[in-house]
Amino acid sequence: MDEALRSNRALWDAWTKIHVGSAFYDVEAFRNGERPIRVADYEREEVGSVEGKTLLHLQCHFGLDTLSWARLGATVTGIDFSDEAIAAARGLATELGIPARFVSSDLYRLPEVLDEQFDIVYTSCGVLNWLPDISGWGRVAAHFVRPGGFLYVTEIHPVAQAFENEGVEPGELQLAYPYWSDPEPLRFEVHGSYADREAQTEGLVEYGWNHSLGEILTSLADAGLRLEFLHEFDFVRWALDFLVEGPGGRYRLPDDSKGSLPLFFSLRATRP
Ligand SMILES: C[S@@+](CC[C@H](N)C(=O)[O-])C[C@H]1O[C@@H](n2cnc3c(N)ncnc32)[C@H](O)[C@@H]1O
């Protein structure tokens, strides 16, 4: 495992410990039934019924969304490269009596670890920017979709990733990062986490890679999937400094902005 991947894995192990107790993830509400399903309404609508379907969740973190799909009737498998995240996901599944399988694996090595295909391959919310090779991601995601099944992705829009998101004012669009893939990673000293900005994270370093929407879609086409839809949204599902919080935990450009931008997207792609 190279330095960037090793560093990111150490970061996710540390963040997982912070996240399981954070207000952002609010595990207690998931546990006590106050918020039993964490996937968004638009995701449920776009994915459709998962009752009786097999679902593979790529980069599942500590499993709240995976377990949500299980509560909705899917037979679920979650994978993540953070051992801490997989241990927490397994612990939660056992505690709540939700049948689920969680596998610890780097995404790119998953075909060596898991030998089956799924009705639905699902991945969401802050996943693609941890991956250096978007074509390789497309091949892995497509590999696990059974003929007639589909991949569903919902993610921050690459356009939103091109702007500075810390230390700017709402509506201040400061172009700061490449829109297209670059093999050289972006490197950030980590201060807190998106779930808890005050958390202690000294010495941790994040490496990231942007990928354009064209590169994401082309990776899926090259891997043999056929696009059913691509929806672009005007919100992000977490805080960025150039956005303002609106209803339902959605962050948008301020009302007085001139023009608008795509900030999040969802897509569904089928294996014929
Ligand atoms: C932002 S989280 C996904 C969030 C999840 N949808 C949620 O809301 O809980 C990104 C996940 O990607 C995982 N990850 C990053 N790089 C990975 C890789 N190369 N292989 C597998 N998992 C990876 C991290 O461990 C982390 O759990």
Side-chain angles (χ1 to χ4, degrees):
M1 190 184 268
D2 74 11
E3 172 51 26
L5 226 55
R6 216 180 355 256
S7 182
N8 281 348
R9 197 158 75 160
L11 171 61
W12 278 106
D13 281 345
W15 269 356
T16 300
K17 290 185 196 146
I18 295 163
H19 290 180
V20 291
S22 67
F24 181 93
Y25 280 100
D26 198 358
V27 173
E28 190 45 36
F30 189 75
R31 190 180 271 127
N32 68 23
E34 226 174 274
R35 193 177 168 201
I37 305 296
R38 279 194 51 98
V39 291
D41 288 348
Y42 78 85
E43 295 181 74
R44 288 178 65 174
E45 222 167 89
E46 292 180 343
V47 169
S49 170
V50 296
E51 188 72 51
K53 304 245 173 85
T54 55
L55 183 147
L56 172 66
H57 184 179
L58 300 175
Q59 295 174 254
C60 66
H61 199 24
F62 65 96
L64 286 186
D65 291 347
T66 328
L67 296 174
S68 298
W69 289 118
R71 277 180 166 163
L72 291 167
T75 301
V76 298
T77 303
I79 83 96
D80 201 282
F81 77 164
S82 159
D83 288 342
E84 283 290 338
I86 291 300
R90 286 180 182 149
L92 204 56
T94 304
E95 179 198 334
L96 300 178
I98 303 175
R101 170 174 57 164
F102 288 99
V103 177
S104 182
S105 171
D106 176 57
L107 178 121
Y108 295 108
R109 290 180 168 264
L110 196 58
E112 298 162 29
V113 175
L114 206 57
D115 183 22
E116 60 198 275
Q117 289 189 309
F118 297 82
D119 298 317
I120 301 167
V121 176
Y122 166 84
T123 194
S124 80
C125 296
V127 283
L128 301 182
N129 280 73
W130 300 97
L131 303 176
D133 170 14
I134 200 66
S135 303
W137 166 79
R139 282 193 296 276
V140 170
H143 172 86
F144 288 105
V145 180
R146 70 152 175 83
F150 63 85
L151 166 73
Y152 179 85
V153 183
T154 187
E155 177 60 301
I156 189 165
H157 199 293
V159 162
Q161 298 285 72
F163 296 103
E164 184 52 66
N165 61 41
E166 280 181 18
V168 291
E169 295 299 315
E172 186 184 343
L173 294 174
Q174 215 182 86
L175 203 49
Y177 305 107
Y179 172 70
W180 287 278
S181 285
D182 183 339
E184 197 55 40
L186 300 165
R187 183 184 183 282
F188 304 96
E189 310 277 332
V190 174
H191 305 289
S193 129
Y194 61 90
D196 178 357
R197 285 194 171 193
E198 306 307 318
Q200 278 306 314
T201 53
E202 238 175 76
L204 293 169
V205 175
E206 166 183 346
Y207 292 90
W209 295 265
N210 284 353
H211 308 291
S212 77
L213 196 57
E215 289 162 344
I216 295 165
L217 294 181
T218 302
S219 80
L220 300 179
D222 286 347
L225 298 186
R226 196 174 57 210
L227 185 67
E228 276 185 68
F229 61 74
L230 167 69
H231 295 148
E232 294 172 292
F233 303 117
D234 67 351
F235 58 78
V236 174
R237 288 170 58 179
W238 54 88
L240 298 178
D241 284 2
F242 64 89
L243 304 177
V244 288
E245 186 172 4
R250 303 267 160 97
Y251 294 79
R252 293 183 161 84
L253 288 168
D255 285 343
D256 61 357
S257 299
K258 292 190 183 127
S260 57
L261 285 173
L263 299 175
F264 224 78
F265 73 93
S266 63
L267 70 80
R268 192 167 134 155
T270 311
R271 176 182 284 288

